[in-house]
Structures are given as structure tokens and as C-alpha cells.
Amino acid sequence: MIKKYNPNDVDSVLEIWLEASVKAHDFVSADFWESQVENMREIYIPASEVYVYETESKVVGFYALYENNLAAIFVSPAFQGQGIGKHLLSHAKSQRSVLNLSVYKENQASYRFYLSQGFSVISEQQDVHTGHPEYTMSTGIT
């Protein structure tokens, strides 16, 4: 079930974000992701419109929108491959007429997932935080 985030979800969301980020982005040091946890807690999550996916009253995935950007979408690694990401992405797309996101070029699994869900590459640039190449993708012309 997808529901609006509430502050009681923060520890679950941060745990999912960190575990899934380290797993999906093995080309970036785990130390980098760990160094970003407090920024997620204090800046990014509060500034975003966040929804969580619960199963058996446990948060197992979430997404965050900031304006027309899908700032984050993560599913707990233990629950990946069950369609939760597709449900979250479909819900996110229903919230905006155009949705943009950034994905690391090296994260081919996520890149292919976004292509399969109707996103197109609109630009390629270097991520200012990690120096790794990333794509900007969109569901529409921006």
C-alpha cells in the first residue's frame, strides 16, 4: 500500500535509502552515501513530497518528489524484484504531468527500468557530488 510519508517513517526511509544506494551504486564509495544520511534527514526529505510503500505495516520502499523531479525512488533490497518499484513509479507519475529524474550512467539496471517505464534521456552530464556521469531522463518534453 502506498501512503503519504509521515515523520515516524524517517528511520525506515533512511535505512532503505542507504542500503539500496550502496547496493545500486557500487561504483561510488559507501562512505559517500553514509556521509549523506543527515542531509537526507534534515534537508532533502523535509523539502520533498514523499510517499512510502508498506507491506504488513512495514515501510519497504519510498519515493520523493521535488517540484517535477523524482528526487529519489528506492526499494529495500530484500523486497526488490516484486513490482514495488513499478507501483511507486506509477504513483509518482500520477502526481505530475511531466516527471524528470537523474540516474547514473553506470547504474544500468535502473537506467533500463526507467526506459521500460516510458522515460527518455534528455541530457547527459557529470554529477557534481560524485563526478560520475549521469543521465537526465523525462516522461515528457521539458
Side-chain angles (χ1 to χ4, degrees):
M1 174 180 83
I2 296 174
K3 69 176 187 78
K4 192 116 174 85
Y5 165 90
N6 77 63
N8 294 332
D9 299 324
V10 70
D11 289 335
S12 297
V13 163
L14 291 174
E15 183 179 319
I16 291 165
W17 175 81
L18 181 58
E19 186 181 5
S21 290
V22 169
K23 181 181 178 198
H25 308 112
D26 60 356
F27 48 88
V28 175
S29 165
D31 292 342
F32 170 77
W33 301 112
E34 290 163 8
S35 77
Q36 296 302 305
V37 171
E38 286 311 305
N39 285 339
M40 286 293 290
R41 180 189 307 275
E42 302 296 330
I43 300 167
Y44 299 117
I45 296 294
S48 300
E49 186 180 333
V50 181
Y51 290 86
V52 297
Y53 188 101
E54 284 187 344
T55 184
E56 298 178 14
S57 301
K58 175 181 166 71
V59 175
V60 298
F62 76 97
Y63 75 85
L65 295 173
Y66 182 77
E67 298 172 346
N68 285 338
N69 295 303
L70 182 63
I73 182 169
F74 290 94
V75 175
S76 172
F79 289 84
Q80 290 176 1
Q82 300 177 24
I84 294 169
K86 286 182 183 174
H87 286 295
L88 286 167
L89 187 55
S90 177
H91 191 273
K93 287 164 68 177
S94 75
Q95 304 297 308
R96 300 289 189 272
S97 57
V98 172
L99 197 57
N100 303 309
L101 61 85
S102 295
V103 62
Y104 287 109
K105 191 174 181 178
E106 292 155 287
N107 185 352
Q108 284 294 300
S110 293
Y111 169 68
R112 287 190 302 271
F113 171 71
Y114 295 130
L115 284 175
S116 77
Q117 299 303 305
F119 284 81
S120 301
V121 173
I122 58 173
S123 68
E124 183 179 340
Q125 60 282 330
Q126 194 171 42
D127 177 57
V128 296
H129 302 289
T130 65
H132 286 266
E134 66 179 1
Y135 294 123
T136 298
M137 301 181 78
S138 181
T139 57
I141 305 301
T142 57

